[in-house]
Amino acid sequence: MTTCDTEGSGEDRLIAAYFAPLATHPGALGLADDVAVLTPPAGCDLVLETDAIVAGMHFFADDPPETVARKALRINLSDLAAKGARPLGFLLSLALPRGRGEAAVGDRWLAPFARALGEDAAAYGCPLLGGDTVASPGPVMISVTMLGAVPSGTLVRRAGARPGDRVVVSGSIGDAALGLLMRGERVAAGDFGLDAAGRDHLVGRYLVPQPRNALAEAVRTHASAAMDVSDGLAGDLAKLCAASGATAVIETARLPLSAPARRVLATAPELLATVLSGGDDYEIVAAVAPDRLASFRAAAAAAGVPVTEIGEILAGRGAPRVLGPDGTALALDRASFSHF
């Protein structure tokens, strides 16, 4: 993502108008070069992460551009949080439909997209460093590569959970998956006993994730292993266990659920599987040793992020056991979302 002057190509004008103002870090070189320059903080390791979102797969083509921008950035911030890292900046690649048809992207979409992206970049302390813009015959695609830092040797990996560790999750689980159900199928809130505010809460959690970067320090200093919950709690916990050479048990009766999610499950208890495996939570699931649990809770409270103990890491291998509300094993048709 480089620009020359406003008399150059259409790409140059697009970048100068919308993205150069976001490149506030001196290492971005004003987006006037082919690279950016970043010096890691002293005593820190660089942490690199990338995720892409595509219209029709990760967001709806008619979603507001502001929410699309925030989602693109925040899902990447979520991965850093789960590693105990802080953001340094990001690279942005955009594939935009060309032409004059309904699918084409122009100023009316790019202006609010760039404005929301800049607001989030400032709020989370991660300036734009560079990237690329290309025309595409397909839907909008947005790829963010996030650069972060963590004190050397302290990265929290998926591997590291030990038998006896407690399974802890941040925030609330299942809101976004239920919100997607309502957003995608236009389900009436009243079908689940929800008022408009309840529906808006669930749909809002799908549209705009709330990454737990405030919890990064607590994760780094207290967790044995952690990852962000992007594809579904059951499946992502299974990935953490597989990397750690362990298994786990979780109790759904202890899941942190928002009031709207509880109302939905009271009306449609079969949607518990959606809550567990639907994805888009962007919370953190962590394994915390019993003797670190109280201090982890205290650090989370100081950071303003609720955390809930929902289970335990066990010796052995295999998919974690999920206990239903009555304490019996719950069989899931699928553990998580998968692209393939």
Side-chain angles (χ1 to χ4, degrees):
M1 185 176 284
T2 62
T3 184
C4 299
D5 58 65
T6 56
E7 299 303 318
S9 69
E11 181 183 3
D12 293 335
R13 291 192 296 272
L14 182 154
I15 294 167
Y18 297 115
F19 300 110
L22 279 57
T24 56
H25 191 285
L29 307 177
L31 301 188
D33 212 315
D34 295 316
V35 299
V37 179
L38 186 66
T39 302
C44 287
D45 295 328
L46 272 180
V47 182
L48 312 177
E49 192 280 335
T50 188
D51 265 313
I53 60 173
V54 181
M57 178 61 69
H58 304 95
F59 62 94
F60 291 86
D62 61 347
D63 280 347
E66 297 93 335
T67 68
V68 175
R70 297 186 195 282
K71 174 174 277 192
L73 192 68
R74 293 182 184 200
I75 65 174
N76 286 272
L77 286 163
S78 179
D79 274 316
L80 287 192
K83 303 295 100 184
R86 64 181 178 89
L88 297 176
F90 71 100
L91 305 174
L92 172 70
S93 291
L94 286 174
L96 303 175
R98 65 188 306 170
R100 298 179 180 275
E102 185 177 331
V105 171
D107 293 346
R108 291 181 62 184
W109 193 92
L110 282 167
F113 175 89
R115 183 172 59 251
L117 188 68
E119 290 170 355
D120 261 17
Y124 287 98
C126 54
L128 176 65
L129 298 174
D132 193 22
T133 55
V134 298
S136 166
V140 173
M141 189 279 290
I142 306 152
S143 179
V144 168
T145 297
M146 188 69 64
L147 294 85
V150 66
S152 295
T154 65
L155 181 78
V156 182
R157 300 174 57 193
R158 293 183 185 182
R162 298 179 292 268
D165 285 353
R166 302 303 189 251
V167 178
V168 182
V169 69
S170 67
S172 60
I173 294 296
D175 286 347
L178 296 175
L180 172 59
L181 178 67
M182 296 184 180
R183 172 65 177 84
E185 299 184 10
R186 309 290 183 179
V187 175
D191 292 349
F192 297 110
L194 291 175
D195 56 15
R199 180 189 183 279
D200 289 347
H201 169 83
L202 298 178
V203 173
R205 284 293 304 271
Y206 166 73
L207 290 172
V208 182
Q210 304 296 319
R212 301 303 183 178
N213 295 83
L215 196 60
E217 181 69 10
V219 169
R220 187 180 69 79
T221 54
H222 298 289
S224 307
M227 65 181 294
D228 85 323
V229 181
S230 56
D231 294 330
L233 175 62
D236 286 334
L237 177 59
K239 295 171 190 174
L240 184 150
C241 288
S244 299
T247 186
V249 59
I250 61 172
E251 302 173 42
T252 59
R254 304 173 73 179
L255 285 178
L257 301 172
S258 68
R262 289 188 184 279
R263 284 195 289 273
V264 169
L265 291 180
T267 303
E270 69 276 8
L271 290 178
L272 178 59
T274 299
V275 166
L276 289 165
S277 61
D280 278 329
D281 292 304
Y282 297 103
E283 298 290 354
I284 295 175
V285 61
V288 180
D291 62 351
R292 304 293 297 171
L293 188 58
S295 55
F296 178 74
R297 288 184 184 277
V305 180
V307 294
T308 305
E309 180 186 348
I310 61 170
E312 183 178 357
I313 301 294
L314 303 174
R317 291 182 179 272
R321 284 189 298 132
V322 179
L323 303 183
D326 61 356
T328 61
L330 183 66
L332 299 175
D333 291 336
R334 64 170 191 170
S336 63
F337 169 82
S338 175
H339 283 277
F340 305 103

